[in-house]
Amino acid sequence: MQQAIFILIIALCLFSIISPPIALLLGVIMVNIFGNPFAEFNNKAITYLLQFSVIGLGFGMNATSALSAGKEGFLLTIFSIFSTLILGTFLGKWLRTDKKTSHLISCGTAICGGSAIAAISPVIKSNENQTSIALGVIFILNSIALFVFPFIGHQLNLSQQDFGLWCAIAIHDTSSVVGAANKYGAEALQIATTVKLARALWIIPISLLTAVIFKSKNSKIKIPYFIGLFILAMLFNTYVPETAIVAPHIVGIAKIGLTITLFLIGATLNINTLKSVGVKPLLQGVLLWIFIACLGLASILYFH
């Protein structure tokens, strides 16, 4: 029964019958009523599907426009990352959150959600509980963002350019950034994806800085290599005319992959995850999220 329902929802995603936000919501409902029959494969599936989807979206983007968007978001990216990390450190001390959990939540908010936490956790040698709490906080807020951001964007009459930039700065995970921006429009999707992936590269210097702060020696740093493939796909789409024959089909498949990814992310948010997070880490995550969302929006509205 559980497996049949799970497979049915994935089939609905495959045929584009349900949208990304609805897929996420169905995942949450599914796991809390029926459980997740494929829980042991869920995290790996999310990682690989998300990477495949992001690479596929590269075939729908123009390198010149992407470079322009990347330049525009560069200074805001640097300022927002370091101000969020500094504020996160002070909030963690004020709330007396566990030091490693606090740092993971700060990195997840500042850079790229679950991917940043997965990269930083082995550097600081966090235990399973610390990592799970940080991931839980990020996934909860991520899920809310997918519904809230497009609504706020429309209420404020943000242009696609402004909304795409705001998404990339203020939404944690690449999956929800792409999901929210895709819902807003094609230009928003291109800007949001490009700026977010450029932001994700900050995992490398932040991991090195973390190793110094936590005095972690011989720590392996995970490099997001799939971003290179995304750039390659974008270059093919821009400079190889023959790519135009297959590009729309690849982008279509990538968007389906993203919808399934969001369903699988929803299927990790059971009631036990919510209970295990705790009030202090969640409060830290919420305050940091409000800070980066307001900072990003104010900067975009002021400079535009």
Side-chain angles (χ1 to χ4, degrees):
M1 176 71 173
Q2 293 172 322
Q3 293 179 346
I5 295 170
F6 200 92
I7 292 166
L8 174 63
I9 296 173
I10 288 178
L12 292 174
C13 295
L14 283 170
F15 289 101
S16 302
I17 295 171
I18 54 178
S19 65
I22 298 301
L24 179 76
L25 190 60
L26 286 175
V28 175
I29 294 168
M30 166 82 198
V31 75
N32 285 289
I33 296 177
F34 302 104
N36 185 344
F38 304 106
E40 65 270 30
F41 306 111
N42 218 68
N43 288 337
K44 278 192 175 181
I46 289 170
T47 301
Y48 291 123
L49 256 180
L50 177 59
Q51 291 179 0
F52 162 80
S53 301
V54 167
I55 293 164
L57 288 173
F59 284 98
M61 298 185 184
N62 180 276
T64 309
S65 304
L67 186 64
S68 174
K71 281 181 181 176
E72 189 174 356
F74 183 70
L75 289 176
L76 184 54
T77 291
I78 294 174
F79 181 69
S80 62
I81 285 174
F82 284 98
S83 58
T84 301
L85 290 173
I86 292 166
L87 178 61
T89 302
F90 283 110
L91 280 175
K93 287 181 179 178
W94 176 57
L95 293 167
R96 295 179 182 175
T97 312
D98 172 79
K99 186 181 178 183
K100 290 183 178 180
T101 305
S102 172
H103 187 68
L104 290 174
I105 292 169
S106 300
C107 289
T109 306
I111 310 171
C112 55
S115 302
I117 292 170
I120 300 291
S121 54
V123 175
I124 64 173
K125 296 180 172 62
S126 61
N127 61 39
E128 191 176 335
N129 185 53
Q130 292 164 330
T131 306
S132 296
I133 288 171
L135 284 170
V137 169
I138 295 302
F139 281 158
I140 291 165
L141 301 181
N142 229 15
S143 304
I144 295 168
L146 190 58
F147 294 94
V148 170
F149 270 64
F151 174 77
I152 295 174
H154 287 302
Q155 293 303 306
L156 295 175
N157 291 317
L158 292 180
S159 67
Q160 288 206 27
Q161 185 181 13
D162 288 349
F163 184 79
L165 187 55
W166 186 42
C167 267
I169 297 296
I171 300 181
H172 309 80
D173 245 27
T174 306
S175 55
S176 286
V177 169
V178 174
N182 184 44
K183 192 176 178 184
Y184 210 80
E187 187 185 350
L189 176 63
Q190 173 158 311
I191 291 166
T193 307
T194 307
V195 175
K196 190 64 181 179
L197 293 180
R199 192 181 186 88
L201 290 172
W202 280 87
I203 286 175
I204 301 165
I206 297 301
S207 294
L208 293 170
L209 182 62
T210 296
V212 173
I213 293 169
F214 282 80
K215 296 174 183 176
S216 304
K217 294 179 180 178
N218 304 318
S219 298
K220 289 185 178 179
I221 294 168
K222 292 183 179 179
I223 299 172
Y225 292 107
F226 76 96
I227 296 174
L229 293 174
F230 165 80
I231 294 168
L232 196 62
M234 193 163 51
L235 291 173
F236 261 92
N237 186 57
T238 308
Y239 300 111
V240 181
E242 290 79 11
T243 308
I245 300 167
V246 294
H249 304 291
I250 296 173
V251 172
I253 294 168
K255 287 182 178 179
I256 290 169
L258 176 72
T259 305
I260 297 171
T261 302
L262 287 165
F263 166 65
L264 295 176
I265 288 172
T268 65
L269 295 173
N270 61 29
I271 196 69
N272 293 327
T273 303
L274 303 180
K275 285 179 180 177
S276 69
V277 164
V279 175
K280 289 181 179 180
L282 185 59
L283 181 58
Q284 180 181 343
V286 169
L287 290 173
L288 275 179
W289 188 37
I290 291 171
F291 166 75
I292 198 169
C294 292
L295 172 71
L297 186 59
S299 301
I300 290 163
L301 292 176
Y302 178 77
F303 289 110
H304 282 219

